[in-house]
């Protein structure tokens, strides 16, 4: 029999150091560990290879560290999100979008209301983790909505699968499709079907520029108002923007606990919806419609498309009508306007989205002359009896070159003869207003500084404060302005042009309406207002004497007479006496026709309304801009 070699066990040095008892224990362990055939004389070799043990221990430590870090990541770093996901899988939150308040005219005619619509949204972090499951959901939605899979996937995953906020996927869903989606909704993990109120506007009276429209909230909206829902709407223009806080309601919320299949188990929380506040405007819908139709008719008769007009209460500042043509249909935005269609509106050369009545300035032509006369009377430059001979033109010599002359013409090259303040206004004598503003020969005019002062006193060159955003300040040029803008000196010819509403002077129809209201109400510069409940607010005073206002009003009454520039027949059907002033404002002589203006007030003895109409490139104010005012005044003063 072959003899076994002795087995040698080497015990660690540490055991040796523990004395005899450890050696005895080691011998005892050896007796149990070694085969019985090994005799007592066998030698135990205590040296063991420790490298595999170290590798195993190191791997265990690394594995433990990985597990610890992963546990820390899940419980601490992403704990809140993971709890949200778990809660989201258990709890469904349904938002009940609040209807916006209605917008009504002063008589209760509804101008903006709500109609029900449906939309499909998704909360990306609630979507299934497996791509195959997500694609199945997208396929089902595509079949029901006729929206292609790629579009649905792009909307659902475009901001990442970790995105915690709802994202719109399909809007303007029909009722039948909505019912089918609602039936399959428990299988559409992460998706929600919402009922949303959308705006329905009256579109037949050019109201879009006043009412504005609503659109989806932006990131800026949410930053300013964290309580907004990501799929909510906010006012973007006009009344919708100015009074968004009042019109906006409070969304309702229903939280429902669901099982693993998405089936509802019980309602956890329910907050009722609070509709927005209704707003009544100062607008008169019937008057608005009449003014719009008449401006459009007269603009087309002049061969143009662009026109605007404002009718304002002379003592309160309430805006009863405001028209800007061409207009646009703000219902396009309620339905979700396409980028192509929106670009088409912005790129249209006629600029249909521009509110010409308030947000654009134009050279005023002769409708500025009552304001010029106010300054001349108040400074004592003229009085009611001052007579200036209108010979049809004025000729000035250049101060730098006596051989050079400049001629300024009136519309009647033969001249109007001797005119006073009243007749000069009635007959619109340019020569009279050149002279009283800038002077001529021995007559000393009031000068450019006074002219600028009185224009600004009547509110020109500053916003009116109307309660919708975007209005223009207009422009009252001055010597300092010209030097800054063009690096040029101011000449007397600049003063002449400014005195009759030419040159760089710019004003909106609303600004001119407010100036005329101040003339006929005794000097109160009112804040125009579109919300009916607002109290009248006086923004300033055109503080000249009552006798001077009386002279100006007499001149405007003579405008609409056989001695004036406008035939009495134009306003014969109104039923009350009317005062006013026509204007023709040159734009690009030889290239475009002049703008046609008319400003009027009625009744003459106790003014209640002021109105201003502008037909761009309409040439003759009395011919094309006056009739729309006459039509609107007739409706207002004759109806029951």
């Amino acid at each position: 029999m072959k003899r076994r070699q002795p087995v040698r066990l080497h015990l660690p040095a540490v055991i040796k150091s523990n004395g005899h008892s450890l050696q005895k224990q080691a011998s005892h362990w050896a007796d149990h560990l070694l085969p019985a055939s090994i005799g007592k004389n066998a030698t135990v070799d205590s040296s063991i290879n420790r490298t595999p043990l170290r590798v195993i221990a190191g791997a265990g430590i690394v594995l433990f560290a990985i597990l610890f870090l992963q546990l820390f990541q899940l419980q601490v770093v992403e704990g809140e999100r993971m709890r949200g996901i778990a809660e989201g899988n258990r709890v469904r939150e349904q938002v009940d979008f609040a209807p916006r308040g209605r917008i009504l005219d002063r008589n209760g005619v509804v101008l903006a209301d709500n109609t029900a619509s449906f939309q499909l949204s998704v909360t990306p972090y609630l979507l299934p983790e497996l791509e195959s499951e997500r694609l199945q959901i997208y396929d089902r939605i595509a079949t029901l909505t006729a929206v292609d899979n790629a579009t649905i996937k792009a909307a659902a995953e475009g901001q990442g699968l970790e995105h915690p906020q709802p994202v719109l996927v399909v809007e303007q869903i029909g009722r039948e499709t909505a019912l089918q989606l609602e039936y399959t909704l428990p299988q559409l993990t992460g998706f929600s079907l919402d009922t949303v109120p959308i705006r329905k506007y009256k579109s037949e009276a050019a109201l879009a520029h006043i009412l504005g429209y609503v659109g989806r909230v932006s990131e800026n909206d949410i930053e300013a108002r964290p309580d907004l829902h990501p799929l909510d709407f906010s006012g973007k223009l006009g009344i919708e923007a100015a009074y968004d806080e009042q019109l906006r309601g409070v969304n309702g919320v229903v939280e429902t606990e669901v099982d693993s299949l998405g089936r509802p188990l019980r309602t956890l929380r329910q907050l009722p919806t609070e509709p927005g506040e209704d707003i009544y405007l100062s607008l008169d819908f019937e008057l608005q419609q009449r003014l719009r139709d008449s401006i459009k008719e007269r603009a087309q008769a002049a061969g143009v498309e662009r026109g605007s007009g404002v009718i304002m209460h002379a003592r309160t500042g309430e805006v009863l009508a405001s028209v800007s043509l061409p207009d646009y249909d703000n219902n396009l935005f309620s339905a979700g306007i396409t980028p192509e269609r929106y670009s088409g509106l912005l790129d249209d050369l006629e600029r249909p989205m521009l509110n010409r009545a308030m947000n654009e300035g134009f050279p005023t032509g002769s409708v500025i002359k009552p304001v010029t006369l106010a300054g001349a009377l108040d400074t004592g430059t003229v009085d009611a009896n001052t007579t200036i001979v209108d010979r049809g033109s004025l000729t000035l010599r250049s101060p730098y070159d006596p051989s050079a002359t400049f001629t300024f013409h009136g519309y009647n090259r033969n001249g109007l003869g001797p005119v006073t303040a009243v007749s000069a206004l009635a007959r619109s004598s340019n020569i009279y207003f050149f002279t009283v503003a800038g002077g001529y020969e021995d007559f000393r005019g009031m000068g450019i500084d006074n002219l600028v002062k009185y224009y600004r006193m009547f509110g020109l060159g500053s916003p009116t404060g109307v309660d919708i955003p975007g209005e223009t300040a207009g422009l009252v040029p001055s010597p300092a302005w010209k030097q800054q803008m063009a690096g040029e000196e101011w000449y007397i010819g600049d003063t002449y042009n400014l005195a009759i509403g030419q040159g760089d002077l710019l004003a909106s129809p609303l600004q001119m309406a407010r100036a005329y209201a101040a003339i006929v109400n005794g000097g109160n510069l009112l804040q125009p207002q579109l919300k009916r409940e607002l109290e009248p607010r006086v923004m300033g005073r055109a503080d000249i004497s009552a006798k001077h206002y009386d002279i100006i009003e007499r001149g405007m009454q003579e405008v609409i007479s056989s001695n004036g520039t406008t035939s009495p027949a134009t306003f014969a059907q109104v039923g009350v006496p009317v005062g006013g002033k026509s204007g023709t404002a040159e734009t690009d002589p030889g290239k475009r026709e002049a703008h046609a203006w008319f400003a009027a007030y009625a009744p003459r003895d106790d003014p209640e309304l002021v109105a201003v109409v502008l037909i761009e490139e309409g040439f003759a104010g009395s011919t094309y801009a006056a009739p729309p005012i006459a039509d609107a005044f007739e409706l207002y003063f004759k109806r029951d």
Side-chain angles (χ1 to χ4, degrees):
M1 176 181 294
K2 189 174 180 178
R3 188 177 177 182
R4 294 177 179 268
Q5 294 297 320
V7 177
R8 301 176 62 87
L9 297 177
H10 299 280
L11 298 177
V14 67
I15 295 178
K16 295 179 182 180
S17 67
N18 285 333
H20 177 75
S21 62
L22 290 179
Q23 291 180 1
K24 187 175 181 179
Q25 289 180 18
S27 299
H28 178 74
W29 293 340
D31 289 341
H32 289 281
L33 291 172
L34 296 178
S37 58
I38 298 178
K40 291 183 179 181
N41 294 326
T43 303
V44 178
D45 189 350
S46 62
S47 63
I48 299 176
N49 186 357
R50 300 171 62 190
T51 300
L53 292 176
R54 288 171 179 166
V55 171
I56 293 172
I61 291 172
V62 171
L63 180 61
F64 177 80
I66 292 172
L67 291 175
F68 177 81
L69 290 175
Q70 184 67 18
L71 184 63
F72 181 83
Q73 177 75 13
L74 291 175
Q75 290 191 344
V76 179
V77 177
E78 296 188 19
E80 191 65 30
R81 187 181 71 85
M82 298 304 292
R83 280 190 293 273
I85 292 176
E87 186 71 11
N89 289 330
R90 184 182 70 85
V91 178
R92 294 289 185 268
E93 181 179 276
Q94 183 69 36
V95 176
D96 186 8
F97 289 93
R100 289 177 72 82
R102 300 175 302 165
I103 304 174
L104 305 94
D105 87 334
R106 63 188 304 112
N107 301 311
V109 176
V110 178
L111 308 178
D113 206 345
N114 304 293
T115 185
S117 183
F118 302 94
Q119 65 185 23
L120 187 68
S121 61
V122 63
T123 305
Y125 83 91
L126 295 178
L127 288 168
E129 293 184 4
L130 293 178
E131 183 179 18
S132 59
E133 294 181 10
R134 297 198 302 273
L135 293 178
Q136 288 179 1
I137 294 174
Y138 302 157
D139 286 341
R140 182 171 296 182
I141 295 172
T143 301
L144 293 174
T145 63
V147 177
D148 62 271
N149 303 50
T151 300
I152 297 171
K153 181 178 180 180
E157 302 182 11
Q159 299 186 58
L161 293 176
E162 303 299 317
H163 188 67
Q165 297 293 336
V167 176
L168 184 65
V169 178
V170 187
E171 60 182 336
Q172 296 292 302
I173 297 173
R175 185 173 296 275
E176 291 298 323
T177 302
L179 290 174
Q180 294 175 348
L181 284 169
E182 186 176 30
Y183 179 77
T184 59
L185 202 60
Q187 287 77 49
L188 306 180
T189 304
F191 283 83
S192 175
L193 182 66
D194 308 310
T195 302
V196 291
I198 61 171
R199 276 309 209 199
K200 178 65 176 177
Y201 299 105
K202 271 189 175 295
S203 58
E204 65 269 30
L207 287 162
H209 297 102
I210 296 299
L211 300 181
Y213 60 87
V214 297
R216 298 285 179 182
V217 296
S218 64
E219 292 183 3
N220 291 336
D221 293 330
I222 295 176
E223 286 182 9
R225 289 275 309 277
D227 59 310
L228 292 178
H229 189 277
L231 300 184
D232 217 329
F233 295 86
S234 64
K236 301 301 182 183
L237 284 178
I239 292 294
E240 293 280 23
Y243 295 100
D244 188 61
E245 291 287 339
Q246 291 93 320
L247 291 166
R248 173 187 305 284
V250 179
N251 294 333
V253 177
V254 178
E255 288 184 354
T256 305
E257 184 179 9
V258 297
D259 62 16
S260 60
L261 297 178
R263 293 174 300 197
L265 297 176
R266 62 192 178 98
T267 299
L268 300 177
R269 183 170 71 107
Q270 186 169 1
L271 298 177
T273 300
E274 297 180 19
E277 174 188 337
D278 288 348
I279 287 181
Y280 284 81
L281 302 185
S282 59
L283 289 178
D284 182 323
F285 175 74
E286 192 177 9
L287 192 66
Q288 170 85 10
Q289 193 168 26
R290 176 66 65 87
L291 184 63
R292 181 260 187 192
D293 292 346
S294 189
I295 290 177
K296 185 172 185 178
E297 178 185 348
R298 298 298 171 167
Q300 290 176 346
V304 297
E305 298 292 330
R306 301 184 303 277
S308 54
V310 174
I311 299 176
M312 193 170 84
H313 198 287
R315 295 187 295 272
T316 68
E318 290 179 295
V319 177
L320 277 69
S322 179
V323 171
S324 177
L325 296 176
D327 62 341
Y328 67 98
D329 185 0
N330 44 358
N331 287 297
L332 294 173
F333 293 88
S334 300
I337 192 169
T338 64
E340 295 77 17
R341 198 158 190 178
Y342 183 57
S343 296
L345 286 173
L346 295 179
D347 296 338
D348 191 325
L349 296 179
E350 298 293 336
R351 299 191 294 171
M353 293 191 68
L354 173 66
N355 184 350
R356 290 175 154 79
M358 300 181 182
N359 298 358
E360 183 80 333
F362 303 89
T364 67
S366 294
V367 292
I368 198 65
K369 288 177 179 175
V371 181
T372 305
L373 183 56
L377 290 167
D378 196 52
T379 57
T381 304
V382 296
D383 60 27
N385 299 316
T386 303
T387 300
I388 294 173
V389 179
D390 182 339
R391 295 185 173 89
S393 65
L394 295 180
T395 299
L396 300 176
R397 293 191 180 277
S398 169
Y400 305 104
D401 181 3
S403 64
T405 59
F406 302 92
T407 301
F408 296 83
H409 296 284
Y411 68 88
N412 186 332
R413 298 299 178 91
N414 296 321
L416 300 175
V419 289
T420 62
V422 171
S423 61
L425 200 55
R427 303 176 70 184
S428 200
S429 169
N430 285 350
I431 306 305
Y432 179 91
F433 288 96
F434 291 157
T435 304
V436 301
Y440 184 67
E441 295 180 342
D442 296 333
F443 191 96
R444 184 176 179 83
M446 62 176 159
I448 181 58
D449 290 342
N450 277 321
L451 189 60
V452 169
K453 170 188 171 182
Y454 283 94
Y455 281 7
R456 289 178 175 165
M457 183 185 293
F458 280 86
L460 303 180
S462 300
T464 67
V466 66
D467 49 326
I468 59 173
E471 72 161 324
T472 183
L475 174 64
V476 176
S478 66
W481 172 86
K482 186 179 180 184
Q483 183 63 43
Q484 180 182 4
M485 298 301 295
E488 298 177 356
E489 293 184 30
W490 186 272
Y491 300 108
I492 192 171
D494 296 318
T495 303
Y496 283 0
N497 281 328
L498 185 59
I500 64 168
Q502 298 295 158
D504 295 307
L505 177 68
L506 298 174
S508 70
L510 180 65
Q511 287 176 311
M512 292 310 304
R514 181 170 72 149
Y516 271 70
I519 290 172
V520 302
N521 71 24
N524 287 331
L525 201 63
L526 299 166
Q527 180 183 31
Q529 57 188 39
L530 286 157
K531 189 170 184 284
R532 188 180 180 188
E533 293 87 349
L534 297 178
E535 290 294 324
R537 183 180 178 190
V538 178
M539 304 288 288
R541 284 278 301 167
D543 200 8
I544 69 174
S545 72
K547 68 177 183 179
H548 293 151
Y549 278 128
D550 182 64
I551 294 170
I552 298 168
E553 289 184 43
R554 282 194 287 124
M556 291 195 291
Q557 292 166 15
E558 287 293 315
V559 167
I560 307 171
S561 72
S562 57
N563 297 320
T565 57
T566 303
S567 169
T570 304
F571 290 92
Q573 79 274 24
V574 172
V576 298
V578 178
K581 183 70 187 77
S582 62
T584 302
E586 292 184 355
T587 50
D588 298 320
K591 296 181 181 179
R592 295 190 299 164
E593 293 287 359
H595 296 325
W597 287 82
F598 204 94
Y601 64 95
R604 282 192 322 210
D605 297 332
D606 186 18
E608 184 176 349
L609 299 184
V610 293
V612 174
V613 166
L614 165 65
I615 306 295
E616 296 177 40
E617 300 179 48
F619 182 67
S622 294
T623 303
Y624 295 110
I629 297 178
D631 290 342
F633 279 6
E634 178 187 17
L635 170 67
Y636 184 86
F637 290 110
K638 284 189 174 181
R639 68 183 173 185
D640 295 332

